Amino acid sequence: MSDAPTQFAEDERIKTRSKFREAMIRPELGGIIGTITVFAMFLIFAGDSGMFNSQGVMNWSQISAQFMIIAVGACLLMIAGEFDLSVGSMIGFAGMLIAIFSVTLGWPVWLAILVTFAIATAIGALNGFIVVRTGLPSFIVTLAFLFILRGFAIYLPQTIERKTIIGGVADAAEGDWMAALFGGKILTGLFQWLGDNGWIAVFERGTRKGQPVVEGLPMLIVWAILLVIVGHVILTKTRFGNWIFAAGGDAEAARNSGVPVNRVKILMFMFTAFCATVFATCQVMEFGGAGSDRGLLKEFEAIIAVVIGGALLTGGYGSVLGAALGALIFGVVQQGLFFAGVESSLFRVFLGLILLFAVILNTYIRRVITGER
Amino acid sequence: MTSIFKTFMLATTVAAAPMMLATTASAEGEKYILVSHAPDSDSWWNTIKNGIALAGEQMNVEVEYRNPPTGDLADMARIIEQAAASGPNGIITTLSDYDVLSGPIKAAVDSGVDVIIMNSGTPDQAREVGALMYVGQPEYDAGHAAGMRAKADGVGSFLCVNHYISSPSSTERCQGFADGLGVDLGDQMIDSGQDPAEIKNRVLAYLNTNPETDAILTLGPTSADPTLLALEENGMAGDIYFGTFDLGEEIVKGLKAGVINWGIDQQPFLQAYLPVVVLTNYHRYGVLPGNNINSGPGFVTKDGLEKVEEFAGEYR
């Protein structure tokens, strides 16, 4: 490794590194290596199992996109030094609110969605407010909300409808512009054209004969990409992004240098709740109903994706791109194991191994970057 | 850089090992996937797993069991989509929520996969999604068969202890029983709630005001266990005709003691075993039964208890 001379070379305070090393050593490196590895593995072991035909790709893409949506929120919050364990319950709760507003109360779906977003982000703000006010660990505060929100997700439909599953949202959302923003599909023409040319599978029988099995790109995936881009830009290109790092790195030092740490943290809690609600809305619109048990354990899946992506549990370090790659790895592994014909109860063993490898690799990469020992 | 590379190589080897094992384990025959809605924690489905394992072995086909780990039906929909994408010969799935699951199931049928609906949903819904058949226990029919049986034993009036009245299937059980007896359901069904103390006291209250009641029907262990206590308390145990849906530890004890005349088993083993056999024969010889298969009601009486106890949790 020779040091390439750069324009800063005269300044002895700045350590020079080669361009290659600059490009290679980044927080997402672990995620990139992992992604390449995972895809290579499945191409070898499940290449002809349908995993890489149109339905297969759409399947693991949707799972990954789901993880991505909640991982972006969890990632920014974790970099700001806090946790949110109520994400899974928030998914169940928010979905239930949309179903109750639109089906039981008969509101227009766009209004149901907007009001739900307002309530969810308010709960996120409350989470953050309690954390910064009391100084309690966010782990504990959000654990309380995990139970509170799940409780309401069960109680509300039980008392109102005497059921734990509320369906019929699909009929209510018919023709609603905002429902399409979450449950619609885009590029349908492109997929039809691909199907007509025989490049992707089409239905062989039934009323949809000749239509492609994968009819378009679900808005779920669009949202995931959008959130990743927005999160990445905020974190790496704005002053606010620096505040997020500062708040999680050393809150006291950040306060002393004028960073509004409390505001940053509360905003990040709100953003996490927002992401969970996006997830819930997409799910309710796609499946046409809400259930009390939706989103169980999703908070841990989000955290796992973020950690695979190289973030530090203690805050102050991480990357949204890494979290997105972590979500991709997670989704591909989870669905890929089915395709590879691995006994499905072994799935957790794999997940544990991958998590362990990712953390070890990420720790090493971080040490190279930050120079810590 | 070299150590990153080393770590990477090591990780690859370790991660690859189980997959190499897995790929050697695939069988020659047809491939079927059973998708359930049950979370990992639900032990009732063990019987199902054992049932498909046995059928797979006997028919020489490969059968995989998959479920959403937390019981999340949205996850289950994705699993059905995934199962269809991996191109099996057939999918056996439950239909516990028509809204959520009908889309993925219809897509699987349309893309050329044969589907059998088992356990939940209704024969009508199974037809709706384009499945070959429905294998399960239609609740009304099970109640009706039980009513016919009770009528033959000389029962003319009854009390139905309903502990999950919010679910339509519970009312179907009671209504079927009434129709089987040839009497009106009227107010012979009580909403007992889920609390054991409340169930017990409501049964006691009903039997106090209607001492002429011939029979009791309970809809599962939840309502059967407190009812047993109630009958012990008012001295009607063993005297009043008593039938129940589903089996449980206390119910088996009650059968043994002669307090309960029969328990209705929906025989999950058959719900798992038969679809595999039906699909295999359909794909090999093109034969298909012309009707849905009722896996229940299987009446368990004092005489048939031996097998139930022997295979409890395994095949029963």
Side-chain angles (χ1 to χ4, degrees):
Chain A
M1 296 260 175
S2 63
D3 284 353
T6 62
Q7 67 213 58
F8 305 113
E10 305 87 58
D11 195 334
E12 74 281 357
R13 288 168 305 178
I14 296 177
K15 198 170 147 193
T16 51
R17 287 193 190 138
S18 73
K19 281 266 191 300
F20 175 72
R21 201 175 162 88
E22 277 291 309
M24 284 300 298
I25 297 294
R26 48 198 315 162
E28 313 69 271
L29 179 62
I32 294 169
I33 292 177
T35 308
I36 294 169
T37 314
V38 164
F39 273 99
M41 298 300 312
F42 284 116
L43 277 169
I44 295 166
F45 291 109
D48 54 354
S49 65
M51 181 170 174
F52 295 101
N53 65 19
S54 61
Q55 307 98 293
V57 170
M58 191 49 72
N59 187 263
W60 51 254
S61 300
Q62 278 179 300
I63 295 275
S64 300
Q66 287 190 340
F67 289 143
M68 255 178 228
I69 288 173
I70 45 177
V72 171
C75 178
L76 292 180
L77 183 66
M78 216 189 276
I79 294 171
E82 302 293 345
F83 267 114
D84 190 347
L85 294 183
S86 65
V87 169
S89 298
M90 180 60 93
I91 291 168
F93 177 73
M96 200 41 90
L97 285 187
I98 292 171
I100 288 172
F101 289 151
S102 61
V103 177
T104 314
L105 304 183
W107 296 5
V109 172
W110 59 268
L111 184 65
I113 293 174
L114 287 179
V115 172
T116 302
F117 267 105
I119 294 174
T121 44
I123 293 172
L126 178 64
N127 259 330
F129 181 75
I130 296 173
V131 168
V132 298
R133 253 314 142 89
T134 59
L136 284 169
S138 50
F139 194 90
I140 304 297
V141 174
T142 55
L143 187 60
F145 273 87
L146 179 152
F147 290 110
I148 293 168
L149 294 178
R150 179 66 64 198
F152 277 121
I154 299 167
Y155 166 82
L156 291 174
Q158 272 280 8
T159 43
I160 297 171
E161 290 247 9
R162 307 201 65 163
K163 293 190 289 204
T164 54
I165 294 175
I166 295 184
V169 180
D171 303 334
E174 201 65 50
D176 189 278
W177 61 275
M178 197 175 240
L181 271 185
F182 290 93
K185 290 194 166 82
I186 55 169
L187 303 177
T188 44
L190 172 70
F191 280 83
Q192 183 65 56
W193 178 74
L194 287 172
D196 293 343
N197 282 310
W199 291 326
I200 58 174
V202 293
F203 286 119
E204 299 171 7
R205 58 192 187 190
T207 49
R208 288 178 291 175
K209 190 173 187 316
Q211 290 178 20
V213 178
V214 177
E215 48 188 342
L217 191 66
M219 284 305 292
L220 177 81
I221 295 179
V222 179
W223 272 101
I225 294 168
L226 198 73
L227 282 170
V228 169
I229 293 170
V230 168
H232 179 70
V233 169
I234 287 177
L235 189 65
T236 56
K237 307 277 187 257
T238 66
R239 190 177 62 159
F240 189 79
N242 288 340
W243 289 357
I244 297 175
F245 278 117
D250 187 340
E252 218 36 58
R255 271 194 198 95
N256 295 339
S257 48
V259 175
V261 171
N262 288 357
R263 186 159 47 125
V264 169
K265 288 193 172 181
I266 291 176
L267 274 170
M268 287 302 101
F269 273 108
M270 289 167 76
F271 182 64
T272 309
F274 173 85
C275 289
T277 312
V278 170
F279 182 116
T281 314
C282 288
Q283 194 176 63
V284 169
M285 292 305 144
E286 180 181 357
F287 295 122
S292 293
D293 57 356
R294 295 281 161 79
L296 274 176
L297 293 183
K298 287 278 181 281
E299 55 277 339
F300 288 103
E301 290 171 353
I303 290 170
I304 289 169
V306 175
V307 170
I308 291 177
L312 257 184
L313 285 176
T314 46
Y317 183 90
S319 104
V320 173
L321 285 186
L325 289 171
L328 181 64
I329 293 171
F330 198 171
V332 169
V333 169
Q334 182 173 320
Q335 298 307 103
L337 288 178
F338 288 147
F339 283 108
V342 176
E343 174 63 35
S344 57
S345 44
L346 275 177
F347 151 69
R348 289 173 188 70
V349 177
F350 269 90
L351 203 62
L353 284 174
I354 286 170
L355 190 61
L356 204 57
F357 281 131
V359 174
I360 293 170
L361 187 65
N362 287 329
T363 306
Y364 172 80
I365 294 167
R366 196 179 60 249
R367 281 184 185 157
V368 173
I369 296 176
T370 59
E372 60 178 279
R373 286 284 157 260
Chain B
M1 289 318 294
T2 49
S3 46
I4 291 185
F5 186 67
K6 267 190 210 155
T7 318
F8 166 74
M9 289 308 288
L10 181 72
T12 312
T13 340
V14 176
M19 291 207 188
M20 295 178 185
L21 290 176
T23 45
T24 54
S26 57
E28 288 295 303
E30 292 82 354
K31 187 172 157 213
Y32 301 113
I33 297 170
L34 187 144
V35 186
S36 91
H37 57 256
D40 290 346
S41 53
D42 192 337
S43 59
W44 190 88
W45 288 81
N46 252 339
T47 311
I48 301 277
K49 287 185 199 170
N50 293 331
I52 56 172
L54 189 70
E57 206 176 303
Q58 289 178 356
M59 303 301 290
N60 195 21
V61 294
E62 198 188 336
V63 195
E64 287 176 34
Y65 174 88
R66 280 176 212 165
N67 67 311
T70 55
D72 187 330
L73 291 177
D75 287 352
M76 180 184 173
R78 293 264 182 264
I79 292 175
I80 292 173
E81 284 170 359
Q82 187 278 322
S86 68
N89 302 78
I91 293 176
I92 305 156
T93 176
T94 68
L95 188 47
S96 46
D97 182 341
Y98 190 82
D99 271 336
V100 176
L101 301 175
S102 58
I105 294 174
K106 276 182 190 158
V109 171
D110 288 346
S111 62
V113 181
D114 293 315
V115 173
I116 288 185
I117 302 293
M118 52 93 67
N119 176 266
S120 44
T122 64
D124 288 346
Q125 288 175 336
R127 216 182 1 260
E128 202 83 359
V129 295
L132 292 180
M133 61 166 23
Y134 169 83
V135 181
Q137 175 175 279
E139 302 300 353
Y140 177 86
D141 297 2
H144 194 269
M148 304 269 279
R149 189 186 175 111
K151 191 180 182 178
D153 292 339
V155 170
S157 64
F158 75 108
L159 157 67
C160 180
V161 188
N162 189 338
H163 66 270
Y164 62 115
I165 203 154
S166 56
S167 165
S169 74
S170 65
T171 318
E172 281 171 13
R173 287 175 170 186
C174 299
Q175 186 63 55
F177 192 79
D179 293 353
L181 281 177
V183 299
D184 264 346
L185 181 57
D187 53 4
Q188 298 188 97
M189 178 172 78
I190 54 168
D191 173 6
S192 67
Q194 301 260 359
D195 181 82
E198 284 178 26
I199 295 172
K200 182 182 145 187
N201 289 317
R202 280 177 197 170
V203 171
L204 282 174
Y206 185 93
L207 293 176
N208 265 335
T209 43
N210 306 288
E212 296 308 304
T213 308
D214 291 336
I216 293 184
L217 176 70
T218 55
L219 302 188
T222 311
S223 49
D225 299 0
T227 303
L228 281 168
L229 293 176
L231 294 182
E232 249 160 60
E233 196 157 311
N234 70 4
M236 283 186 179
D239 182 38
I240 195 168
Y241 189 90
F242 188 172
T244 181
F245 275 85
D246 294 341
L247 296 174
E249 214 170 306
E250 292 300 317
I251 292 175
V252 170
K253 277 187 200 159
L255 282 163
K256 262 198 189 148
V259 179
I260 301 181
N261 298 57
W262 41 256
I264 290 176
D265 185 10
Q266 61 169 304
Q267 302 180 111
F269 174 84
L270 292 179
Q271 292 176 8
Y273 180 89
L274 289 177
V276 176
V277 174
V278 168
L279 280 171
T280 309
N281 286 325
Y282 181 58
H283 290 140
R284 283 184 191 168
Y285 313 114
V287 292
L288 187 70
N291 241 328
N292 292 322
I293 296 176
N294 289 3
S295 71
F299 288 96
V300 177
T301 58
K302 202 171 177 175
D303 314 328
L305 270 183
E306 199 181 315
K307 282 263 190 300
V308 173
E309 281 184 311
E310 186 185 346
F311 292 112
E314 189 183 350
Y315 292 126
R316 294 303 297 265

